[in-house]
Amino acid sequence: MLLTETAPPPGAQRLAELRATARTARRRAFVALSAAIALLTTAQLLADRAQTDEQTLPLAVLSLAIFMTAVPVLVATQYVWGAHARLVRLRERELYAVTPSARTRPLSRLAVACGWAVTLLLGWTEPHFFHEAALYAFADSLRWAAEALAVVSLAAGVLFVIWWARDAVGMLARAARSGGSPGDPWDPGHGARPREGAALWTGAAVAVAALVGARAHLWEPGTAVIYALLTAALVCGVVTGE
């Protein structure tokens, strides 16, 4: 009997389901991260171009609301992603005694960390917009909160760098000692997954990078271009899962 005609070994089908769930959680985490940066950057770009205090205030409030909503959403989506990824690694150890090399895991974690850094940097500029809207007392209070957030963020960043470096070195050491998981013939695995969403992810990344570059005053796009970039970032991110 051919191998493809035999029943999957115990646990293989469940492992395939766990991998699919983890991939979905990862996609949602990256969609939330890219959408948060795109929305926050767009709101701040429009607020920065407002001509009067009355025009600046609603955009400043919108920017602050996006930031305060984005932080818990990012925490939740990335926690779910991490929880499912841990389940996959645990199941792989149970079935194969070792886990796959997961060469892209350090890169994905570094990408998430960079996304967090951009989001927090944008959040630290929130007091500026309320100062421009002539809400000086609120801007001063917000500046104090931003300074406290900056201290906490820098401490978290140092801890992340230490943890990331230790984990990356550990993965390299394990890869040198072992050939990794023998694989599962009933599951596509990491190397055979379809890559149709690669172009869409690239488009979303380029659009978000262009918005961040405009926010950093590296270039000065028109308002219509800003809206087009925002639309491209959101559409490309959402369509990756369709």
Side-chain angles (χ1 to χ4, degrees), residues 10-216:
Q13 185 174 358
R14 176 56 180 163
L15 177 58
E17 294 172 356
L18 290 175
R19 286 174 176 170
T21 303
R23 289 193 293 268
T24 299
R26 179 180 61 183
R27 184 191 68 82
R28 290 174 178 172
F30 276 107
V31 168
L33 183 60
S34 61
I37 296 175
L39 290 169
L40 185 57
T41 306
T42 300
Q44 292 190 356
L45 280 170
L46 296 177
D48 203 31
R49 298 181 178 196
Q51 301 298 321
T52 64
D53 298 347
E54 291 75 12
Q55 293 176 344
T56 303
L57 181 58
L59 293 169
V61 173
L62 175 62
S63 175
L64 181 60
I66 292 172
F67 178 73
M68 296 182 66
T69 302
V71 170
V73 169
L74 295 182
V75 171
T77 54
Q78 292 171 21
Y79 174 81
V80 171
W81 172 23
H84 287 299
R86 285 190 294 272
L87 286 176
V88 170
R89 292 195 295 271
L90 178 62
R91 192 61 173 168
E92 286 172 337
R93 281 194 293 268
E94 290 175 351
L95 289 177
Y96 305 127
V98 291
T99 59
S101 58
R103 297 181 182 89
T104 61
R105 195 167 73 197
L107 295 178
S108 63
R109 288 175 174 174
L110 191 60
V112 170
C114 291
W116 268 105
V118 171
T119 303
L120 293 175
L121 284 171
L122 293 171
W124 296 345
T125 64
E126 293 292 346
H128 164 74
F129 300 107
F130 287 93
H131 187 273
E132 293 297 318
L135 293 180
Y136 303 113
F138 184 75
D140 290 339
S141 300
L142 203 58
R143 185 173 293 109
W144 178 87
E147 291 174 354
L149 177 63
V151 173
V152 174
S153 301
L154 290 174
V158 171
L159 294 176
F160 169 79
V161 170
I162 296 173
W163 170 78
W164 181 85
R166 181 185 63 84
D167 189 63
V169 171
M171 286 183 60
L172 290 174
R174 288 191 297 271
R177 293 194 306 264
S178 172
S181 170
D184 177 4
W186 290 269
D187 179 62
H190 298 280
R193 290 200 308 270
R195 301 292 182 179
E196 292 87 351
L200 294 172
W201 278 122
T202 301
V206 169
V208 171
L211 288 171
V212 173
R215 180 66 184 89

